Structures are given as structure tokens and as C-alpha cells.
mmCIF file of all heavy atoms in Angstrom:
data_model
loop_
_atom_site.group_PDB
_atom_site.id
_atom_site.type_symbol
_atom_site.label_atom_id
_atom_site.label_comp_id
_atom_site.label_asym_id
_atom_site.label_seq_id
_atom_site.Cartn_x
_atom_site.Cartn_y
_atom_site.Cartn_z
ATOM 1 N N GLY H 1 0.804 -1.214 -0.098
ATOM 2 C CA GLY H 1 -0.014 0.030 -0.041
ATOM 3 C C GLY H 1 0.848 1.207 -0.057
ATOM 4 O O GLY H 1 2.024 1.201 -0.307
ATOM 5 N N GLY H 2 0.281 2.357 0.389
ATOM 6 C CA GLY H 2 1.051 3.551 0.556
ATOM 7 C C GLY H 2 1.555 4.136 -0.761
ATOM 8 O O GLY H 2 1.038 3.744 -1.807
ATOM 9 N N ALA H 3 2.589 4.866 -0.643
ATOM 10 C CA ALA H 3 3.164 5.553 -1.922
ATOM 11 C C ALA H 3 3.811 4.468 -2.753
ATOM 12 O O ALA H 3 3.618 4.628 -4.051
ATOM 13 C CB ALA H 3 4.235 6.539 -1.448
ATOM 14 N N MET H 4 4.463 3.436 -2.183
ATOM 15 C CA MET H 4 4.977 2.506 -3.104
ATOM 16 C C MET H 4 3.874 1.689 -3.896
ATOM 17 O O MET H 4 4.008 1.359 -5.082
ATOM 18 C CB MET H 4 5.745 1.488 -2.292
ATOM 19 C CG MET H 4 6.628 0.666 -3.071
ATOM 20 S SD MET H 4 8.254 1.469 -3.841
ATOM 21 C CE MET H 4 9.191 1.687 -2.276
ATOM 22 N N GLY H 5 2.781 1.380 -3.188
ATOM 23 C CA GLY H 5 1.634 0.836 -3.923
ATOM 24 C C GLY H 5 1.175 1.714 -5.051
ATOM 25 O O GLY H 5 0.778 1.213 -6.119
ATOM 26 N N ALA H 6 1.027 3.054 -4.786
ATOM 27 C CA ALA H 6 0.613 3.959 -5.763
ATOM 28 C C ALA H 6 1.405 3.940 -7.041
ATOM 29 O O ALA H 6 0.943 4.231 -8.097
ATOM 30 C CB ALA H 6 0.375 5.349 -5.154
ATOM 31 N N MET H 7 2.729 3.655 -6.846
ATOM 32 C CA MET H 7 3.624 3.738 -7.923
ATOM 33 C C MET H 7 3.426 2.626 -8.962
ATOM 34 O O MET H 7 3.911 2.704 -10.093
ATOM 35 C CB MET H 7 5.088 3.778 -7.459
ATOM 36 C CG MET H 7 5.396 5.061 -6.742
ATOM 37 S SD MET H 7 7.261 5.341 -6.478
ATOM 38 C CE MET H 7 7.706 3.800 -5.523
ATOM 39 N N PHE H 8 2.572 1.627 -8.566
ATOM 40 C CA PHE H 8 2.298 0.501 -9.490
ATOM 41 C C PHE H 8 1.230 1.101 -10.528
ATOM 42 O O PHE H 8 0.977 0.481 -11.500
ATOM 43 C CB PHE H 8 1.820 -0.719 -8.839
ATOM 44 C CG PHE H 8 2.938 -1.471 -8.190
ATOM 45 C CD1 PHE H 8 3.484 -1.293 -6.970
ATOM 46 C CD2 PHE H 8 3.317 -2.731 -8.858
ATOM 47 C CE1 PHE H 8 4.474 -1.982 -6.414
ATOM 48 C CE2 PHE H 8 4.384 -3.487 -8.366
ATOM 49 C CZ PHE H 8 4.974 -3.046 -7.196
ATOM 50 N N TYR H 9 0.565 2.146 -10.147
ATOM 51 C CA TYR H 9 -0.517 2.711 -11.024
ATOM 52 C C TYR H 9 -0.248 4.116 -11.652
ATOM 53 O O TYR H 9 -0.902 4.429 -12.615
ATOM 54 C CB TYR H 9 -1.769 2.870 -10.172
ATOM 55 C CG TYR H 9 -2.173 1.483 -9.579
ATOM 56 C CD1 TYR H 9 -1.969 1.131 -8.291
ATOM 57 C CD2 TYR H 9 -2.937 0.607 -10.339
ATOM 58 C CE1 TYR H 9 -2.417 -0.016 -7.754
ATOM 59 C CE2 TYR H 9 -3.324 -0.654 -9.875
ATOM 60 C CZ TYR H 9 -2.978 -0.963 -8.536
ATOM 61 O OH TYR H 9 -3.415 -2.182 -8.012
ATOM 62 N N MET H 10 0.731 4.828 -11.182
ATOM 63 C CA MET H 10 0.964 6.169 -11.692
ATOM 64 C C MET H 10 2.352 6.655 -11.457
ATOM 65 O O MET H 10 3.194 5.786 -10.943
ATOM 66 C CB MET H 10 -0.036 7.198 -10.993
ATOM 67 C CG MET H 10 0.073 7.293 -9.481
ATOM 68 S SD MET H 10 -1.251 8.264 -8.925
ATOM 69 C CE MET H 10 -0.959 8.215 -7.065
ATOM 70 N N GLU H 11 2.655 7.803 -11.811
ATOM 71 C CA GLU H 11 4.035 8.329 -11.688
ATOM 72 C C GLU H 11 4.594 8.130 -10.300
ATOM 73 O O GLU H 11 3.842 8.171 -9.301
ATOM 74 C CB GLU H 11 4.018 9.850 -12.039
ATOM 75 C CG GLU H 11 3.798 10.144 -13.455
ATOM 76 C CD GLU H 11 3.822 11.665 -13.701
ATOM 77 O OE1 GLU H 11 4.609 12.343 -13.149
ATOM 78 O OE2 GLU H 11 2.955 12.024 -14.543
ATOM 79 N N ALA H 12 5.888 8.036 -10.250
ATOM 80 C CA ALA H 12 6.629 7.884 -8.910
ATOM 81 C C ALA H 12 6.338 8.963 -8.001
ATOM 82 O O ALA H 12 6.180 10.159 -8.333
ATOM 83 C CB ALA H 12 8.140 7.786 -9.187
ATOM 84 N N ILE H 13 6.233 8.618 -6.725
ATOM 85 C CA ILE H 13 6.016 9.387 -5.592
ATOM 86 C C ILE H 13 7.112 9.229 -4.636
ATOM 87 O O ILE H 13 7.565 8.114 -4.396
ATOM 88 C CB ILE H 13 4.722 9.060 -4.789
ATOM 89 C CG1 ILE H 13 3.443 9.346 -5.850
ATOM 90 C CG2 ILE H 13 4.437 9.979 -3.598
ATOM 91 C CD1 ILE H 13 2.205 8.685 -5.310
ATOM 92 N N THR H 14 7.689 10.329 -4.063
ATOM 93 C CA THR H 14 8.793 10.201 -3.198
ATOM 94 C C THR H 14 8.318 9.418 -1.870
ATOM 95 O O THR H 14 7.268 9.805 -1.264
ATOM 96 C CB THR H 14 9.296 11.614 -2.695
ATOM 97 O OG1 THR H 14 9.606 12.330 -3.859
ATOM 98 C CG2 THR H 14 10.471 11.445 -1.827
ATOM 99 N N THR H 15 9.021 8.373 -1.485
ATOM 100 C CA THR H 15 8.859 7.614 -0.332
ATOM 101 C C THR H 15 10.152 6.959 0.030
ATOM 102 O O THR H 15 10.984 6.674 -0.690
ATOM 103 C CB THR H 15 7.728 6.555 -0.599
ATOM 104 O OG1 THR H 15 7.430 5.952 0.678
ATOM 105 C CG2 THR H 15 8.120 5.625 -1.593
ATOM 106 N N ILE H 16 10.117 6.617 1.343
ATOM 107 C CA ILE H 16 11.359 6.092 1.859
ATOM 108 C C ILE H 16 11.212 4.499 2.264
ATOM 109 O O ILE H 16 12.012 3.782 2.446
ATOM 110 C CB ILE H 16 11.912 6.767 3.007
ATOM 111 C CG1 ILE H 16 10.945 6.806 4.208
ATOM 112 C CG2 ILE H 16 12.445 8.173 2.566
ATOM 113 C CD1 ILE H 16 11.565 7.361 5.477
ATOM 114 N N ASP H 17 9.884 4.181 2.378
ATOM 115 C CA ASP H 17 9.593 2.740 2.809
ATOM 116 C C ASP H 17 8.517 2.114 2.025
ATOM 117 O O ASP H 17 7.841 2.678 1.228
ATOM 118 C CB ASP H 17 9.170 2.853 4.294
ATOM 119 C CG ASP H 17 7.866 3.539 4.506
ATOM 120 O OD1 ASP H 17 7.372 4.272 3.663
ATOM 121 O OD2 ASP H 17 7.303 3.455 5.795
ATOM 122 N N LEU H 18 8.540 0.833 2.283
ATOM 123 C CA LEU H 18 7.540 -0.122 1.643
ATOM 124 C C LEU H 18 6.497 -0.340 2.698
ATOM 125 O O LEU H 18 6.761 -1.051 3.703
ATOM 126 C CB LEU H 18 8.145 -1.366 1.140
ATOM 127 C CG LEU H 18 7.408 -2.423 0.549
ATOM 128 C CD1 LEU H 18 6.822 -1.935 -0.753
ATOM 129 C CD2 LEU H 18 8.128 -3.686 0.250
ATOM 130 N N ASP H 19 5.193 0.160 2.455
ATOM 131 C CA ASP H 19 4.088 -0.054 3.514
ATOM 132 C C ASP H 19 3.481 -1.358 3.023
ATOM 133 O O ASP H 19 3.031 -1.541 1.903
ATOM 134 C CB ASP H 19 3.069 1.049 3.452
ATOM 135 C CG ASP H 19 3.528 2.336 3.991
ATOM 136 O OD1 ASP H 19 4.488 2.418 4.786
ATOM 137 O OD2 ASP H 19 3.060 3.330 3.557
ATOM 138 N N VAL H 20 3.362 -2.346 4.001
ATOM 139 C CA VAL H 20 2.811 -3.687 3.781
ATOM 140 C C VAL H 20 1.782 -3.898 4.716
ATOM 141 O O VAL H 20 1.977 -3.885 5.891
ATOM 142 C CB VAL H 20 3.858 -4.716 3.944
ATOM 143 C CG1 VAL H 20 3.357 -6.188 3.655
ATOM 144 C CG2 VAL H 20 5.128 -4.535 2.858
ATOM 145 N N PHE H 21 0.577 -4.028 4.154
ATOM 146 C CA PHE H 21 -0.611 -4.339 5.020
ATOM 147 C C PHE H 21 -0.802 -5.867 5.101
ATOM 148 O O PHE H 21 -0.534 -6.565 4.159
ATOM 149 C CB PHE H 21 -1.909 -3.732 4.421
ATOM 150 C CG PHE H 21 -1.969 -2.246 4.493
ATOM 151 C CD1 PHE H 21 -1.452 -1.482 3.377
ATOM 152 C CD2 PHE H 21 -2.313 -1.618 5.670
ATOM 153 C CE1 PHE H 21 -1.468 -0.065 3.511
ATOM 154 C CE2 PHE H 21 -2.358 -0.253 5.736
ATOM 155 C CZ PHE H 21 -1.914 0.536 4.715
ATOM 156 N N VAL H 22 -0.946 -6.379 6.370
ATOM 157 C CA VAL H 22 -0.933 -7.747 6.543
ATOM 158 C C VAL H 22 -2.231 -8.320 7.262
ATOM 159 O O VAL H 22 -2.867 -7.512 7.983
ATOM 160 C CB VAL H 22 0.269 -8.222 7.326
ATOM 161 C CG1 VAL H 22 1.489 -8.023 6.553
ATOM 162 C CG2 VAL H 22 0.297 -7.559 8.760
ATOM 163 N N LEU H 23 -2.549 -9.552 6.806
ATOM 164 C CA LEU H 23 -3.630 -10.231 7.534
ATOM 165 C C LEU H 23 -2.942 -11.324 8.318
ATOM 166 O O LEU H 23 -1.939 -11.959 7.792
ATOM 167 C CB LEU H 23 -4.601 -10.966 6.555
ATOM 168 C CG LEU H 23 -5.516 -10.091 5.834
ATOM 169 C CD1 LEU H 23 -6.358 -10.798 4.860
ATOM 170 C CD2 LEU H 23 -6.505 -9.285 6.807
ATOM 171 N N PHE H 24 -3.359 -11.633 9.552
ATOM 172 C CA PHE H 24 -2.658 -12.563 10.400
ATOM 173 C C PHE H 24 -3.498 -13.911 10.474
ATOM 174 O O PHE H 24 -4.631 -13.962 10.319
ATOM 175 C CB PHE H 24 -2.634 -11.993 11.812
ATOM 176 C CG PHE H 24 -1.884 -10.728 11.826
ATOM 177 C CD1 PHE H 24 -2.405 -9.463 11.972
ATOM 178 C CD2 PHE H 24 -0.424 -10.709 11.770
ATOM 179 C CE1 PHE H 24 -1.798 -8.281 11.866
ATOM 180 C CE2 PHE H 24 0.306 -9.585 11.779
ATOM 181 C CZ PHE H 24 -0.331 -8.284 11.854
ATOM 182 N N ASN H 25 -2.728 -14.943 10.848
ATOM 183 C CA ASN H 25 -3.297 -16.196 10.925
ATOM 184 C C ASN H 25 -4.045 -16.372 12.285
ATOM 185 O O ASN H 25 -5.097 -17.053 12.489
ATOM 186 C CB ASN H 25 -2.219 -17.358 10.954
ATOM 187 C CG ASN H 25 -1.663 -17.421 9.566
ATOM 188 O OD1 ASN H 25 -2.387 -17.400 8.503
ATOM 189 N ND2 ASN H 25 -0.356 -17.398 9.456
ATOM 190 N N ASP H 26 -3.638 -15.638 13.282
ATOM 191 C CA ASP H 26 -4.153 -15.633 14.644
ATOM 192 C C ASP H 26 -4.684 -14.251 15.019
ATOM 193 O O ASP H 26 -3.960 -13.364 15.346
ATOM 194 C CB ASP H 26 -3.077 -16.089 15.671
ATOM 195 C CG ASP H 26 -3.594 -16.165 17.091
ATOM 196 O OD1 ASP H 26 -4.753 -15.924 17.382
ATOM 197 O OD2 ASP H 26 -2.785 -16.416 18.043
ATOM 198 N N ASP H 27 -6.037 -14.045 14.929
ATOM 199 C CA ASP H 27 -6.667 -12.895 15.277
ATOM 200 C C ASP H 27 -6.718 -12.499 16.757
ATOM 201 O O ASP H 27 -7.137 -11.422 17.104
ATOM 202 C CB ASP H 27 -8.102 -12.887 14.718
ATOM 203 C CG ASP H 27 -8.128 -12.967 13.064
ATOM 204 O OD1 ASP H 27 -7.047 -12.464 12.514
ATOM 205 O OD2 ASP H 27 -9.107 -13.366 12.598
ATOM 206 N N HIS H 28 -6.251 -13.463 17.619
ATOM 207 C CA HIS H 28 -6.364 -13.207 19.096
ATOM 208 C C HIS H 28 -5.102 -12.839 19.644
ATOM 209 O O HIS H 28 -4.994 -12.719 20.905
ATOM 210 C CB HIS H 28 -7.062 -14.431 19.703
ATOM 211 C CG HIS H 28 -8.401 -14.723 19.221
ATOM 212 N ND1 HIS H 28 -8.662 -15.524 18.109
ATOM 213 C CD2 HIS H 28 -9.577 -14.258 19.660
ATOM 214 C CE1 HIS H 28 -10.004 -15.574 17.917
ATOM 215 N NE2 HIS H 28 -10.450 -14.749 18.797
ATOM 216 N N ASN H 29 -4.055 -12.738 18.898
ATOM 217 C CA ASN H 29 -2.675 -12.419 19.384
ATOM 218 C C ASN H 29 -2.694 -10.949 19.776
ATOM 219 O O ASN H 29 -2.971 -10.085 18.902
ATOM 220 C CB ASN H 29 -1.643 -12.709 18.242
ATOM 221 C CG ASN H 29 -0.225 -12.516 18.776
ATOM 222 O OD1 ASN H 29 0.019 -11.910 19.821
ATOM 223 N ND2 ASN H 29 0.671 -13.038 17.953
ATOM 224 N N LEU H 30 -2.273 -10.603 21.007
ATOM 225 C CA LEU H 30 -2.141 -9.235 21.401
ATOM 226 C C LEU H 30 -0.988 -8.568 20.923
ATOM 227 O O LEU H 30 -0.980 -7.277 20.837
ATOM 228 C CB LEU H 30 -2.233 -9.169 22.966
ATOM 229 C CG LEU H 30 -3.430 -9.692 23.640
ATOM 230 C CD1 LEU H 30 -3.286 -9.722 25.185
ATOM 231 C CD2 LEU H 30 -4.572 -8.868 23.315
ATOM 232 N N LEU H 31 0.070 -9.272 20.436
ATOM 233 C CA LEU H 31 1.244 -8.620 19.759
ATOM 234 C C LEU H 31 1.282 -9.207 18.342
ATOM 235 O O LEU H 31 2.160 -9.997 18.078
ATOM 236 C CB LEU H 31 2.441 -8.920 20.543
ATOM 237 C CG LEU H 31 2.474 -8.358 21.922
ATOM 238 C CD1 LEU H 31 3.672 -8.915 22.731
ATOM 239 C CD2 LEU H 31 2.527 -6.776 21.935
ATOM 240 N N PRO H 32 0.341 -8.832 17.384
ATOM 241 C CA PRO H 32 0.320 -9.473 16.155
ATOM 242 C C PRO H 32 1.541 -9.337 15.197
ATOM 243 O O PRO H 32 1.734 -10.135 14.445
ATOM 244 C CB PRO H 32 -0.960 -8.806 15.412
ATOM 245 C CG PRO H 32 -1.033 -7.472 16.161
ATOM 246 C CD PRO H 32 -0.559 -7.634 17.575
ATOM 247 N N LEU H 33 2.333 -8.241 15.448
ATOM 248 C CA LEU H 33 3.509 -8.034 14.565
ATOM 249 C C LEU H 33 4.650 -8.960 15.162
ATOM 250 O O LEU H 33 5.703 -9.064 14.444
ATOM 251 C CB LEU H 33 3.838 -6.588 14.595
ATOM 252 C CG LEU H 33 2.879 -5.749 13.830
ATOM 253 C CD1 LEU H 33 3.271 -4.229 13.904
ATOM 254 C CD2 LEU H 33 2.660 -6.191 12.425
ATOM 255 N N GLN H 34 4.577 -9.326 16.316
ATOM 256 C CA GLN H 34 5.761 -10.192 17.043
ATOM 257 C C GLN H 34 6.268 -11.289 16.162
ATOM 258 O O GLN H 34 7.360 -11.440 15.887
ATOM 259 C CB GLN H 34 5.430 -10.525 18.384
ATOM 260 C CG GLN H 34 6.745 -10.828 19.158
ATOM 261 C CD GLN H 34 7.744 -9.719 19.175
ATOM 262 O OE1 GLN H 34 7.384 -8.665 19.573
ATOM 263 N NE2 GLN H 34 8.998 -10.022 18.750
ATOM 264 N N PRO H 35 5.287 -12.150 15.735
ATOM 265 C CA PRO H 35 5.790 -13.278 14.849
ATOM 266 C C PRO H 35 6.530 -12.860 13.642
ATOM 267 O O PRO H 35 7.448 -13.551 13.122
ATOM 268 C CB PRO H 35 4.445 -14.031 14.550
ATOM 269 C CG PRO H 35 3.500 -13.674 15.573
ATOM 270 C CD PRO H 35 3.910 -12.272 15.890
ATOM 271 N N ILE H 36 6.116 -11.654 12.952
ATOM 272 C CA ILE H 36 6.789 -11.244 11.835
ATOM 273 C C ILE H 36 8.196 -10.827 12.217
ATOM 274 O O ILE H 36 9.202 -11.168 11.628
ATOM 275 C CB ILE H 36 6.039 -10.008 11.154
ATOM 276 C CG1 ILE H 36 4.655 -10.537 10.732
ATOM 277 C CG2 ILE H 36 6.805 -9.428 10.058
ATOM 278 C CD1 ILE H 36 3.762 -9.345 10.324
ATOM 279 N N TYR H 37 8.283 -10.012 13.302
ATOM 280 C CA TYR H 37 9.613 -9.507 13.687
ATOM 281 C C TYR H 37 10.568 -10.709 14.123
ATOM 282 O O TYR H 37 11.771 -10.688 13.869
ATOM 283 C CB TYR H 37 9.601 -8.566 14.923
ATOM 284 C CG TYR H 37 8.728 -7.320 14.524
ATOM 285 C CD1 TYR H 37 8.001 -6.679 15.431
ATOM 286 C CD2 TYR H 37 9.043 -6.676 13.343
ATOM 287 C CE1 TYR H 37 7.298 -5.530 15.070
ATOM 288 C CE2 TYR H 37 8.296 -5.439 12.845
ATOM 289 C CZ TYR H 37 7.483 -5.012 13.851
ATOM 290 O OH TYR H 37 6.851 -3.690 13.478
ATOM 291 N N ASP H 38 9.955 -11.726 14.808
ATOM 292 C CA ASP H 38 10.793 -12.870 15.110
ATOM 293 C C ASP H 38 11.287 -13.646 13.946
ATOM 294 O O ASP H 38 12.427 -13.993 13.966
ATOM 295 C CB ASP H 38 9.929 -13.879 16.000
ATOM 296 C CG ASP H 38 9.621 -13.276 17.398
ATOM 297 O OD1 ASP H 38 10.265 -12.323 17.798
ATOM 298 O OD2 ASP H 38 8.736 -13.779 18.062
ATOM 299 N N ALA H 39 10.393 -13.832 12.930
ATOM 300 C CA ALA H 39 10.857 -14.558 11.760
ATOM 301 C C ALA H 39 11.921 -13.740 10.921
ATOM 302 O O ALA H 39 12.780 -14.278 10.375
ATOM 303 C CB ALA H 39 9.564 -14.761 10.818
ATOM 304 N N LEU H 40 11.757 -12.408 10.951
ATOM 305 C CA LEU H 40 12.634 -11.645 10.223
ATOM 306 C C LEU H 40 14.030 -11.624 11.011
ATOM 307 O O LEU H 40 15.126 -11.551 10.372
ATOM 308 C CB LEU H 40 12.126 -10.146 10.079
ATOM 309 C CG LEU H 40 11.034 -10.012 9.130
ATOM 310 C CD1 LEU H 40 10.429 -8.618 9.100
ATOM 311 C CD2 LEU H 40 11.395 -10.471 7.719
ATOM 312 N N LYS H 41 13.993 -11.499 12.267
ATOM 313 C CA LYS H 41 15.183 -11.504 13.161
ATOM 314 C C LYS H 41 15.968 -12.831 12.921
ATOM 315 O O LYS H 41 17.263 -12.787 12.698
ATOM 316 C CB LYS H 41 14.903 -11.422 14.542
ATOM 317 C CG LYS H 41 16.094 -11.281 15.479
ATOM 318 C CD LYS H 41 15.640 -10.978 16.922
ATOM 319 C CE LYS H 41 16.935 -10.730 17.801
ATOM 320 N NZ LYS H 41 16.613 -10.681 19.200
ATOM 321 N N ALA H 42 15.274 -13.857 12.734
ATOM 322 C CA ALA H 42 15.944 -15.217 12.470
ATOM 323 C C ALA H 42 16.649 -15.211 11.135
ATOM 324 O O ALA H 42 17.512 -15.944 10.879
ATOM 325 C CB ALA H 42 14.830 -16.380 12.507
ATOM 326 N N ARG H 43 16.119 -14.333 10.164
ATOM 327 C CA ARG H 43 16.745 -14.248 8.874
ATOM 328 C C ARG H 43 17.882 -13.201 8.891
ATOM 329 O O ARG H 43 18.503 -12.870 7.821
ATOM 330 C CB ARG H 43 15.737 -13.807 7.837
ATOM 331 C CG ARG H 43 14.769 -14.988 7.524
ATOM 332 C CD ARG H 43 13.631 -14.353 6.546
ATOM 333 N NE ARG H 43 12.880 -15.346 5.905
ATOM 334 C CZ ARG H 43 11.860 -16.029 6.428
ATOM 335 N NH1 ARG H 43 11.559 -15.751 7.717
ATOM 336 N NH2 ARG H 43 11.242 -17.002 5.811
ATOM 337 N N GLY H 44 18.056 -12.506 9.977
ATOM 338 C CA GLY H 44 19.130 -11.553 10.046
ATOM 339 C C GLY H 44 18.746 -10.090 9.889
ATOM 340 O O GLY H 44 19.466 -9.224 9.720
ATOM 341 N N TYR H 45 17.379 -9.881 9.771
ATOM 342 C CA TYR H 45 16.920 -8.524 9.559
ATOM 343 C C TYR H 45 16.443 -7.906 10.787
ATOM 344 O O TYR H 45 15.720 -8.537 11.654
ATOM 345 C CB TYR H 45 15.791 -8.564 8.517
ATOM 346 C CG TYR H 45 16.050 -9.150 7.156
ATOM 347 C CD1 TYR H 45 15.502 -10.283 6.735
ATOM 348 C CD2 TYR H 45 16.985 -8.509 6.360
ATOM 349 C CE1 TYR H 45 15.830 -10.867 5.581
ATOM 350 C CE2 TYR H 45 17.330 -9.120 5.124
ATOM 351 C CZ TYR H 45 16.769 -10.291 4.784
ATOM 352 O OH TYR H 45 17.183 -10.801 3.563
ATOM 353 N N ALA H 46 16.775 -6.556 11.045
ATOM 354 C CA ALA H 46 16.537 -5.948 12.244
ATOM 355 C C ALA H 46 15.806 -4.651 11.934
ATOM 356 O O ALA H 46 15.854 -4.110 10.816
ATOM 357 C CB ALA H 46 17.797 -5.709 13.050
ATOM 358 N N PRO H 47 15.201 -4.009 12.977
ATOM 359 C CA PRO H 47 14.561 -2.713 12.781
ATOM 360 C C PRO H 47 15.596 -1.659 12.255
ATOM 361 O O PRO H 47 16.757 -1.712 12.627
ATOM 362 C CB PRO H 47 14.142 -2.333 14.173
ATOM 363 C CG PRO H 47 13.937 -3.680 14.902
ATOM 364 C CD PRO H 47 14.982 -4.507 14.287
#
């Protein structure tokens, strides 16, 4: 989504990040982003 998503349809827009909207497997998790951060950390990616 965001500006990067818009660039798939029209002229480039200045942006610094890739906005990614996500659906989760577990809707009852109070920290829904934590599994993503854990999986990325295991791959060597950090904030």
C-alpha cells in the first residue's frame, strides 16, 4: 500500500519505505506483529 503501492499505477511518488498491510493467521494475538519480527530476526533482519 502507501506511496509504493501507488507507484504501480501512476508516476513515482517520493517515499522511503514499503508499506505492507498484513492479515494474520491468529486474530487473538495481542502482539500481532511479533511473529513477523521474530521470523525476520531469524533471517538476520533488524529494525
Side-chain angles (χ1 to χ4, degrees):
M4 195 72 75
M7 289 192 305
F8 281 81
Y9 300 100
M10 58 187 179
E11 292 181 34
I13 298 169
T14 303
T15 186
I16 59 166
D17 64 348
L18 178 65
D19 293 334
V20 177
F21 291 96
V22 294
L23 288 176
F24 299 100
N25 293 313
D26 180 3
D27 293 334
H28 298 92
N29 187 346
L30 295 177
L31 298 171
L33 296 175
Q34 195 60 50
I36 297 170
Y37 295 142
D38 292 344
L40 293 173
K41 186 176 180 182
R43 288 175 166 80
Y45 301 115

